Amino acid sequence: MAIVGPADSVSLAYAVALERSDILSPQGIVYQDAAQVPEIMRARCPEFDMWLFSGIVPYHYALSVATHKPLFYLPHTGSSLYRALFEITYIKNLKLHRISFDTFSQVEVEETFKDINLPLPTIYVKPFSDVASAKEFANHHYELWQAGKIDIAITCFLATYEKLKELGVPAFRVWTTRSNIRTTLDVAINSCLAQRFKGSQLAIQQIAIDEYDNIVRASSSYNVKRMEMCLYKILVDYAEMLKGSLVSRGDGQYTLYSTRGILEDSTHELTVIPILEEISCQVKGAVSGGIGFGVTAYDAEQNAFHALGIAQQKGKGLWMAVNDEREVIGPLSSAVYLKYSVQADAAACKQMADQLNLSVTTVNRLLAVIDKLDKDTIGAEELAVYLSITSRSARRILTILVENGLAEFAGEEMLAKGRPRKLYKINLQLLLEHLHHED
């Protein structure tokens, strides 16, 4: 575990982390400014299984770095205020009349005084925001003090505390409590172990040539063998990529065994299948696949067959996945869309997802679907099938794209029964430009 923050916070968290030395190997990394966090992480990310930050500000900087490593921060909860208030009243013998706070919300400060049965003084609160900095917080406290509105400033940041002391402002620093550190460490350890367990789960892929019996009847046995040999060569390379094992079950059917962690990395969290483009170009026939995860080999195998069945019901050449919670994911796209999944920065994709009020996975899969369909118009029902969501949810996504100028209503399609189906034209180029602009 990397413990990142200013020297005093790192020292305290490191001392508490040593209590868990049976399972945890902590290492402190001290910075002078929280803005150094992205640089630190990019240089040292491979060294650690997880990262713990001294507060929400360095944690916020860490979110801008693309990583699958678990990230945590030490919360400055209401209980952390008790220590500062105790120091003010019982050690320094100061009165709690007019105080400014940062990071905490108004409600947290009010509840803290209520919990310890103290009258609420005049308070000024500047909550944390994404763009806040230690310098900005220092200016906030100093301006209030200069205007004669406060007698005491309470801050969660070492840099803010030191600046206020330099300016002559009576300042006190909030430290996270040892109890909070222990609780956060428990959460971090359990989360890391769960991720490690999940990553080591068995992943089984059931792969089949679609309509194999019809192909055998319509073609010579030599052509069928050539098709199978061509597919087998692709699958052998795929198995090597996944460090897995490939078994041919005959009649155009194959089983590939690997682990969940490697598979999810290779498929960009189940958004693309890297061999689909190669299969479509080289194999003279559609090939479907089903991915199954499970705690036991039996569960993983059953989920894989279930995923393959769903893929073949939906059409030809589709790949689906069923996880250990029986959730269906897919269809998965081809790796041809690396222009968004690799070249686009993960943080930029997250910004785009936040702006559209969608998950990053949904944005990735939406782009993959558009690429796979090879057309720019789509209806909500069709999108729902490809994203494995309800038609209502698909309509919501399309409405969001329209509202953001990334899609437009393209008319209606008359159906044999029922009301006409609305079609939407998605501007893929604009969508990609929007993504890279965020970057």
Side-chain angles (χ1 to χ4, degrees):
M1 170 184 276
I3 301 176
V4 186
D8 52 1
S9 294
V10 169
S11 177
L12 176 62
Y14 180 82
V16 177
L18 287 178
E19 298 172 2
R20 303 300 308 274
S21 59
D22 58 318
I23 195 171
L24 200 61
S25 176
Q27 184 173 336
I29 301 176
V30 175
Y31 61 63
Q32 299 303 315
D33 189 293
Q36 296 173 273
V37 166
E39 181 185 350
I40 291 170
M41 289 189 66
R42 280 190 282 267
R44 305 191 61 179
C45 205
E47 298 177 38
F48 302 100
D49 297 307
M50 52 184 162
W51 292 73
L52 176 65
F53 299 93
S54 61
I56 194 170
V57 170
Y59 172 79
H60 175 73
Y61 277 106
L63 293 178
S64 66
V65 180
T67 178
H68 295 306
K69 303 290 179 70
L71 310 177
F72 305 90
Y73 69 91
L74 297 174
H76 291 98
T77 60
S79 61
S80 301
L81 269 176
Y82 298 157
R83 177 176 176 171
L85 296 176
F86 179 84
E87 183 181 359
I88 292 168
T89 55
Y90 291 97
I91 299 177
K92 300 297 184 181
N93 293 315
L94 299 176
K95 300 296 183 183
L96 301 174
H97 289 318
R98 300 178 304 171
I99 313 174
S100 60
F101 299 84
D102 60 44
T103 307
F104 295 97
S105 69
Q106 182 90 12
V107 171
E108 285 177 312
V109 174
E110 291 176 356
E111 286 183 346
T112 297
F113 279 89
K114 195 176 294 184
D115 288 342
I116 55 180
N117 202 26
L118 283 176
L120 183 68
T122 300
I123 61 173
Y124 298 86
V125 180
K126 185 175 178 59
F128 171 78
S129 65
D130 289 351
V131 295
S133 66
K135 182 179 179 181
E136 184 180 342
F137 284 131
N139 291 337
H140 161 73
H141 294 293
Y142 183 63
E143 288 170 4
L144 289 171
W145 184 71
Q146 268 198 322
K149 294 182 177 180
I150 63 168
D151 308 305
I152 295 170
I154 295 181
T155 178
C156 296
F157 304 99
L158 176 60
T160 300
Y161 171 76
E162 291 177 339
K163 183 63 177 177
L164 291 175
K165 297 294 284 185
E166 181 186 319
L167 294 169
V169 180
F172 295 85
R173 183 155 174 236
V174 174
W175 296 66
T176 189
T177 64
R178 291 176 182 270
S179 175
N180 281 343
I181 295 173
R182 291 188 183 100
T183 299
T184 304
L185 289 174
D186 285 341
V187 171
I189 291 168
N190 290 334
S191 175
C192 194
L193 290 176
Q195 188 180 71
R196 184 172 291 178
F197 168 73
K198 214 161 204 177
S200 63
Q201 272 187 2
L202 184 63
I204 295 179
Q205 298 182 68
Q206 301 293 352
I207 302 157
I209 298 173
D210 292 329
E211 298 183 343
Y212 180 82
D213 291 342
N214 292 339
I215 293 173
V216 170
R217 284 193 292 267
S219 184
S220 71
S221 61
Y222 298 109
N223 287 335
V224 173
K225 291 296 181 185
R226 290 189 186 98
M227 178 190 298
E228 290 179 323
M229 288 174 61
C230 182
L231 176 60
Y232 186 76
K233 180 181 181 302
I234 295 172
L235 293 179
V236 167
D237 292 340
Y238 184 41
E240 183 180 25
M241 177 197 303
L242 299 177
K243 296 180 173 58
S245 173
L246 179 66
V247 176
S248 174
R249 297 188 290 115
D251 296 334
Q253 299 181 64
Y254 307 86
T255 301
L256 200 162
Y257 301 89
S258 63
T259 59
R260 179 171 185 162
I262 295 176
L263 178 60
E264 288 185 331
D265 285 343
S266 301
T267 59
H268 299 284
E269 303 299 319
L270 296 181
T271 57
V272 298
I273 292 293
I275 58 171
L276 279 193
E277 188 67 17
E278 190 176 4
I279 289 174
S280 64
C281 290
Q282 297 186 26
V283 180
K284 294 181 179 179
V287 178
S288 294
I291 299 173
F293 299 133
V295 176
T296 67
Y298 177 81
D299 289 339
E301 185 177 55
Q302 292 302 304
N303 287 340
F305 277 120
H306 182 47
L308 177 61
I310 295 173
Q312 292 178 326
Q313 285 176 8
K314 287 180 179 289
K316 294 181 180 179
L318 301 180
W319 289 56
M320 303 291 293
V322 174
N323 63 21
D324 49 346
E325 296 174 350
R326 303 289 290 175
E327 294 174 333
V328 179
I329 303 166
L332 282 66
S333 177
S334 71
V336 73
Y337 216 104
L338 290 178
K339 55 189 171 188
Y340 83 83
S341 62
V342 172
Q343 294 175 6
D345 185 82
C349 195
K350 183 179 185 304
Q351 286 182 342
M352 179 179 175
D354 290 342
Q355 181 176 337
L356 298 179
N357 195 26
L358 300 171
S359 70
V360 174
T361 301
T362 298
V363 170
N364 280 343
R365 288 170 61 194
L366 175 64
L367 290 167
V369 166
I370 296 168
D371 173 67
K372 186 175 183 66
L373 292 176
D374 196 26
K375 61 181 181 180
D376 58 3
T377 58
I378 193 170
E381 293 75 12
E382 189 176 11
L383 181 62
V385 169
Y386 277 92
L387 293 181
S388 295
I389 58 178
T390 64
S391 296
R392 182 178 179 181
S393 295
R395 279 191 289 273
R396 184 182 75 84
I397 291 173
L398 291 168
T399 300
I400 289 172
L401 292 177
V402 171
E403 290 173 348
N404 284 271
L406 302 174
E408 59 186 35
F409 178 61
E412 295 181 335
E413 181 180 39
M414 300 302 296
L415 302 176
K417 294 182 179 180
R419 292 184 296 177
R421 184 180 67 157
K422 290 184 177 181
L423 295 176
Y424 295 84
K425 181 178 181 180
I426 298 175
N427 191 326
L428 179 57
Q429 188 60 38
L430 190 59
L431 203 60
L432 289 171
E433 289 175 2
H434 185 77
L435 180 63
H436 290 290
H437 175 69
E438 295 290 344
D439 187 14

